[in-house]
Amino acid sequence: RAILFSGLLIDITAQKNAEQALRASEKLYRAIGESLDYGVWICAPDGRNVYTSESFLRLMGATQEQCADFGWLTRLHGDDAAATSAAWRECVAAGGVWYRELRVLGADGLYHPILAQGVPVRGEDGEISGWAGINLDISRLKQTEEALREADRRKDEFLATLAHELRNPLAPIRHAARLLESQAADAQQQGWAR
């Protein structure tokens, strides 16, 4: 038979409000990440991928599980994979900023040029608690660069042809001008030159 019942009431309204604000903030940043064409990524302190945005997964035709850890490296172009893997591991070891252009195999079977950028996220103690970054599709930029290179090549070809075509008719004109300036030319030669 209980004689006394004791208890303690604690107001956790502030804690619940903070948790709700945190969930709202997470939703907001996830929505921002998903609004980018080719998305965002998050890695653990050791460089293993723990999150890739849905938009980037759709581009690759891959699942989060396939990209997890270092699985994303299998989606890189053969010419880029080894160097990118080594550069990423070096970046993680040094705690540096990630900035690399690479080619990723898309769901369409084509390689897409991607500019990957990321930074270490540091905790209160200054230690790296993870990595966050973005992947930007730079296909249009690459197409524009190629179009500009082609236009520059055609311009150079046109100027070379023009210079060649102008050199031939200018040779007799140059010769006639020299005859007109020459004191040794007689009247018939100067008449021809005019």
Side-chain angles (χ1 to χ4, degrees), residues 28-186:
L28 173 66
Y29 284 105
R30 188 171 297 256
I32 290 169
E34 293 303 326
S35 71
L36 296 171
D37 278 345
Y38 294 103
V40 298
W41 50 267
I42 298 172
C43 290
D46 64 358
R48 290 177 300 106
N49 180 270
V50 294
Y51 172 77
T52 303
S53 66
E54 286 296 319
S55 54
F56 196 69
L57 293 173
R58 277 193 306 275
L59 169 74
M60 293 189 300
T63 65
Q64 181 60 56
E65 292 75 29
Q66 291 169 323
C67 286
D69 294 328
F70 295 98
W72 60 274
L73 290 168
T74 64
R75 309 297 273 183
L76 297 181
H77 190 279
D79 294 343
D80 299 344
T84 299
S85 176
W88 174 242
R89 292 176 198 277
E90 183 180 313
C91 179
V92 168
V97 173
W98 179 246
Y99 185 89
R100 190 160 183 99
E101 192 175 307
L102 42 96
R103 293 168 288 176
V104 175
L105 181 62
D108 57 5
L110 302 174
Y111 282 96
H112 296 261
I114 301 295
L115 178 60
Q117 296 180 263
V119 294
V121 178
R122 299 186 183 277
E124 295 292 324
D125 58 359
E127 293 295 313
I128 294 176
S129 61
W131 298 82
I134 59 173
N135 291 326
L136 299 174
D137 178 19
I138 54 173
S139 295
R140 282 193 292 187
L141 175 64
K142 291 295 185 182
Q143 291 166 354
T144 302
E145 283 178 0
E146 184 56 36
L148 287 172
R149 271 194 291 278
E150 177 61 21
D152 191 49
R153 185 193 63 74
R154 286 194 319 237
K155 175 198 57 124
D156 290 346
E157 188 178 288
F158 170 76
L159 289 175
T161 302
L162 181 63
H164 176 72
E165 294 298 323
L166 287 177
R167 225 172 299 145
N168 288 340
L170 286 177
I173 295 171
R174 195 173 328 127
H175 180 66
R178 285 191 189 129
L179 274 176
L180 287 172
E181 294 172 351
S182 172
Q183 299 296 328
D186 60 27

